[in-house]
C-alpha cells in the first residue's frame, strides 16, 4: 500500500496521464495510469508535476535588506557594492538570520527547495557565515541551502579575505568562491583563480566564482578557470557565475573559448534579472544586454543554469524567490523563444542547477526523494509564460506549501464569468 498517489500528472518531458506513487518519502512508481492501492490520492488533473526549482546563485546574507541603511539611488553595481560596505558594520547575526528565514519561507511557497547562496567572508567577524550556517541547519528539513565562501572585496585585494575564507570553510561552508575581475590587476585575478581552485582541490570541494561580471571584453578569467579546472581534475565541480564579459567579447576569441569550457567540464550560471539591469550601464545607445551567451554555451555542451542572484538588497529592489520569473527573463534576454529553447529555460531553473549543486536524490525517477511541485500549467513553456501558481509543494512526500489557483471573475455581460489563462 502506497502512502500517496498523485494521479493524472503531466511531466516536464511531455509524458501525460502519469501516476506517481510515493512511499516513505520516496518515489516508488512513475507509470501511466495503473491500479494501485494508496492511503491517499491527489488528482493532478493533467497539470504539470515538476521537480522543485533550484536557484544556483543567490546572496542570502544581503536579501531583504533593501533600503538599509539607504536606497541605491543610481541602481548601479558600484553604488550597490559601496552600500553593502556601509551596511556590513551594522549587521547583526539575528537580523541576518531573520531575513534569511523569511526569504526561505518565500522560496518554499514558490516551490524553490534548493539554493546555492554566496556568503561574504570579508567581514572579520564572519557574522553572516555563522548566521547562514545556522539557517542551513534550521531549514534542512524543507530546503537544501548550499553556502559558498565569497570574498566580495577580493581574496588577494582584501588583506584578511584569504584567512577568513579558510576559516569559513573550516566552519563548514560548502563551496569555494572568488571574484577575479575585482582583484587589482588581470594577473592578480588569474592568481586568485589558481589559488582558489588549488584550495578547493586540496579540500575536495566545489568551486563557484563570480567571474567576469563586467562589460570589459578583455576580462577573460573564465579561460583561467577552465584551465585550472582541467589541470586539477575538478571537472563537473566548477561553475563560473555571471560571465557577462562574454557578451562583449570578440566572436573569434569566443569560438576558441567555448570548446575550452566544454572540454574542462565547467558550468555557467547566468543571472538574467540582475545582468540585464546592472550591465551596459556605461553604454549610451545601443546598450549591451550584458548577459552571457546562453544558447551558444548550451550548443557547445556547457551546462547553463539561471540564478536569482538578488532579492530586495543593495543591488536590486525586485524579486520574490520565483524561479519562473528568472526563467521568463532569461528566455527574453537570451532570445530563447524556440520550443526546445524555452524548455531549456525551464531546465535552467530545475534539473541543470540540481546537477551543478550535486543534489542527491533529485529527480522524477523511482528512488528519488518525493520533492515535487504541482503547477497550474499544462507544460513547462506555459509554466514560464504564466509564472504559474504552485498549487502544491511537496518535500519527502509531505505537503509543505499550497497556493490557490490564479483566477479572475469577469463582470461583463455576454462573456464567460471565469478567466483561465491556460491553453496547453
Ligand atoms: Fe552574485
Amino acid at each position: 500500500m502506497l502512502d500517496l498517489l498523485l494521479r493524472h500528472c503531466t511531466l516536464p518531458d511531455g509524458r501525460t496521464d502519469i501516476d506517481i506513487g510515493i512511499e516513505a518519502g520516496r518515489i516508488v512508481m512513475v507509470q501511466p495510469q495503473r491500479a494501485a492501492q494508496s492511503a491517499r490520492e491527489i488528482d493532478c488533473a493533467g497539470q504539470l508535476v515538476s521537480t522543485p526549482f533550484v536557484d544556483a546563485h543567490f546572496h542570502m546574507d544581503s536579501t531583504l535588506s533593501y533600503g538599509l541603511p539607504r536606497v541605491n539611488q543610481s541602481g548601479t553595481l558600484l553604488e550597490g557594492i559601496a552600500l553593502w560596505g556601509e551596511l556590513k558594520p551594522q549587521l547583526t547575526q539575528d537580523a541576518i538570520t531573520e531575513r534569511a528565514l523569511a526569504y526561505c519561507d518565500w522560496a518554499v511557497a514558490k516551490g524553490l527547495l534548493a539554493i546555492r547562496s554566496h556568503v561574504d567572508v570579508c567581514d572579520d567577524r564572519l557574522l553572516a557565515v555563522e548566521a547562514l550556517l545556522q539557517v542551513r541547519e534550521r531549514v534542512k528539513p524543507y530546503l537544501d541551502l548550499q553556502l559558498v565562501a565569497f570574498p566580495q572585496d577580493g581574496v588577494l585585494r582584501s588583506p584578511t579575505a584569504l584567512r577568513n575564507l579558510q576559516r569559513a570553510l573550516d566552519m563548514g561552508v560548502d563551496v569555494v568562491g572568488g571574484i577575479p575581475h575585482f582583484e587589482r590587476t588581470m594577473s592578480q585575478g588569474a592568481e586568485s583563480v589558481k589559488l582558489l581552485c588549488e584550495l578547493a582541490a586540496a579540500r575536495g570541494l566545489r568551486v563557484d566564482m563570480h567571474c567576469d561580471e563586467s562589460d570589459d571584453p578583455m576580462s577573460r578569467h573564465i579561460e583561467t578557470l577552465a584551465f585550472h579546472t582541467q589541470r586539477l581534475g575538478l571537472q563537473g565541480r566548477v561553475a563560473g557565475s555571471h560571465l557577462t564579459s562574454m557578451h562583449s567579447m570578440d566572436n573569434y576569441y569566443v569560438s576558441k573559448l567555448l570548446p575550452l569550457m566544454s572540454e574542462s567540464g565547467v558550468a555557467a550560471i547566468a543571472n538574467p534579472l540582475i545582468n540585464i539591469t546592472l550591465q551596459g550601464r556605461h553604454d549610451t545607445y545601443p546598450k549591451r544586454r550584458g548577459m552571457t551567451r546562453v544558447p551558444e554555451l548550451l550548443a557547445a555542451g556547457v551546462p547553463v543554469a539561471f540564478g536569482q542572484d538578488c532579492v530586495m538588497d543593495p543591488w536590486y529592489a525586485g524579486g520574490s524567490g520565483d524561479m519562473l520569473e528568472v526563467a521568463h527573463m532569461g528566455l527574453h534576454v537570451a532570445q530563447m523563444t524556440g520550443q526546445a529553447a524555452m524548455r531549456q529555460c525551464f531546465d535552467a531553473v530545475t534539473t541543470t542547477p540540481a546537477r551543478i549543486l550535486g543534489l542527491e536524490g533529485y529527480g522524477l525517477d523511482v528512488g528519488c526523494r518525493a520533492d515535487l511541485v504541482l503547477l497550474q500549467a499544462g507544460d513547462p513553456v506555459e509554466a514560464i509564460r504564466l509564472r504559474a501558481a504552485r498549487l502544491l509543494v511537496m518535500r519527502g512526500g509531505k505537503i509543505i506549501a499550497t497556493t490557490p489557483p490564479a483566477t479572475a471573475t469577469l463582470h461583463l455581460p455576454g462573456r464567460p464569468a471565469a478567466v483561465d489563462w491556460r491553453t496547453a
Side-chain angles (χ1 to χ4, degrees):
M1 166 93 83
L2 299 168
D3 297 334
L4 178 63
L5 187 60
L6 301 180
R7 287 214 182 267
H8 310 299
C9 308
T10 295
L11 304 187
D13 64 10
R15 281 178 287 166
T16 56
D17 240 340
I18 298 294
D19 286 356
I20 300 176
I22 295 165
E23 214 176 278
R26 298 257 157 196
I27 296 173
V28 293
M29 184 193 97
V30 183
Q31 300 221 353
Q33 282 195 55
R34 217 181 76 163
Q37 291 288 310
S38 176
R40 193 179 167 203
E41 284 189 16
I42 296 173
D43 183 3
C44 296
Q47 301 186 102
L48 180 64
V49 175
S50 167
T51 46
F53 296 103
V54 179
D55 184 357
H57 190 109
F58 193 59
H59 293 265
M60 203 171 277
D61 49 0
S62 55
T63 195
L64 305 190
S65 68
Y66 182 71
L68 297 175
R70 60 182 175 82
V71 163
N72 183 337
Q73 291 296 341
S74 63
T76 59
L77 174 62
L78 290 178
E79 188 176 342
I81 291 173
L83 231 166
W84 178 235
E86 288 171 40
L87 178 58
K88 261 197 271 189
Q90 299 177 24
L91 290 173
T92 66
Q93 206 171 313
D94 285 350
I96 297 169
T97 303
E98 206 175 299
R99 288 196 287 260
L101 287 172
Y103 182 76
C104 290
D105 292 344
W106 289 14
V108 168
K110 296 284 186 187
L112 168 56
L113 301 189
I115 300 174
R116 173 181 277 182
S117 172
H118 295 254
V119 50
D120 188 355
V121 296
C122 288
D123 173 358
D124 292 342
R125 299 170 301 166
L126 293 184
L127 277 188
V129 172
E130 277 181 24
L132 292 190
L133 282 168
Q134 283 177 22
V135 170
R136 186 179 71 183
E137 292 311 303
R138 272 180 75 170
V139 302
K140 208 177 230 166
Y142 54 88
L143 188 148
D144 295 307
L145 178 58
Q146 191 175 81
L147 297 175
V148 186
F150 174 47
Q152 170 85 69
D153 303 333
V155 74
L156 298 176
R157 186 169 168 175
S158 168
T160 54
L162 179 59
R163 181 73 205 105
N164 288 349
L165 186 137
Q166 287 169 317
R167 279 171 60 209
L169 297 176
D170 291 342
M171 287 160 71
V173 168
D174 311 276
V175 179
V176 177
I179 186 164
H181 58 277
F182 197 71
E183 302 292 351
R184 280 204 172 83
T185 62
M186 284 293 174
S187 65
Q188 287 267 290
E191 180 58 31
S192 79
V193 173
K194 178 172 181 283
L195 171 88
L196 292 164
C197 285
E198 286 174 354
L199 192 69
R203 289 178 177 246
L205 298 176
R206 291 173 187 269
V207 176
D208 187 339
M209 291 196 193
H210 283 65
C211 194
D212 304 322
E213 189 181 2
S214 159
D215 293 318
D216 174 7
M218 297 310 289
S219 189
R220 295 178 171 185
H221 296 296
I222 180 57
E223 182 186 273
T224 310
L225 184 61
F227 173 75
H228 290 298
T229 299
Q230 204 163 24
R231 179 177 72 85
L232 295 163
L234 292 170
Q235 290 92 336
R237 288 162 52 195
V238 176
S241 279
H242 291 291
L243 305 177
T244 54
S245 73
M246 282 184 73
H247 188 93
S248 301
M249 282 174 184
D250 169 69
N251 286 336
Y252 188 87
Y253 173 69
V254 173
S255 74
K256 175 196 165 199
L257 177 62
L258 289 172
L260 183 67
M261 288 175 70
S262 175
E263 268 174 52
S264 69
V266 166
I269 300 169
N271 298 293
L273 291 160
I274 307 308
N275 298 152
I276 197 68
T277 46
L278 292 183
Q279 302 311 132
R281 284 294 183 113
H282 293 220
D283 295 355
T284 54
Y285 286 91
K287 272 186 200 289
R288 284 168 286 180
R289 289 165 191 245
M291 190 165 81
T292 195
R293 303 189 186 202
V294 177
E296 292 77 9
L297 284 161
L298 288 167
V302 177
V304 183
F306 290 153
Q308 170 93 62
D309 202 3
C310 302
V311 170
M312 299 196 70
D313 68 9
W315 294 274
Y316 188 59
S320 63
D322 184 353
M323 294 309 293
L324 285 174
E325 183 182 54
V326 175
H328 189 262
M329 180 59 80
L331 178 157
H332 285 79
V333 179
Q335 300 181 331
M336 291 175 67
T337 46
Q339 271 294 317
M342 289 194 284
R343 285 170 187 270
Q344 284 176 317
C345 290
F346 190 83
D347 295 343
V349 293
T350 51
T351 50
T352 306
R355 267 206 323 276
I356 293 172
L357 267 65
L359 294 181
E360 281 172 18
Y362 180 96
L364 277 174
D365 299 319
V366 168
C368 291
R369 198 165 59 187
D371 295 357
L372 300 164
V373 182
L374 172 63
L375 291 139
Q376 190 189 1
D379 62 35
V381 174
E382 189 168 74
I384 294 174
R385 178 173 66 84
L386 299 176
R387 272 78 82 216
R390 283 64 163 176
L391 302 172
L392 194 149
V393 179
M394 194 176 282
R395 171 82 160 187
K398 294 205 165 52
I399 295 171
I400 57 169
T402 53
T403 301
T407 185
T409 305
L410 291 181
H411 305 273
L412 294 172
R415 298 304 305 155
V419 175
D420 187 346
W421 292 271
R422 288 172 303 171
T423 60

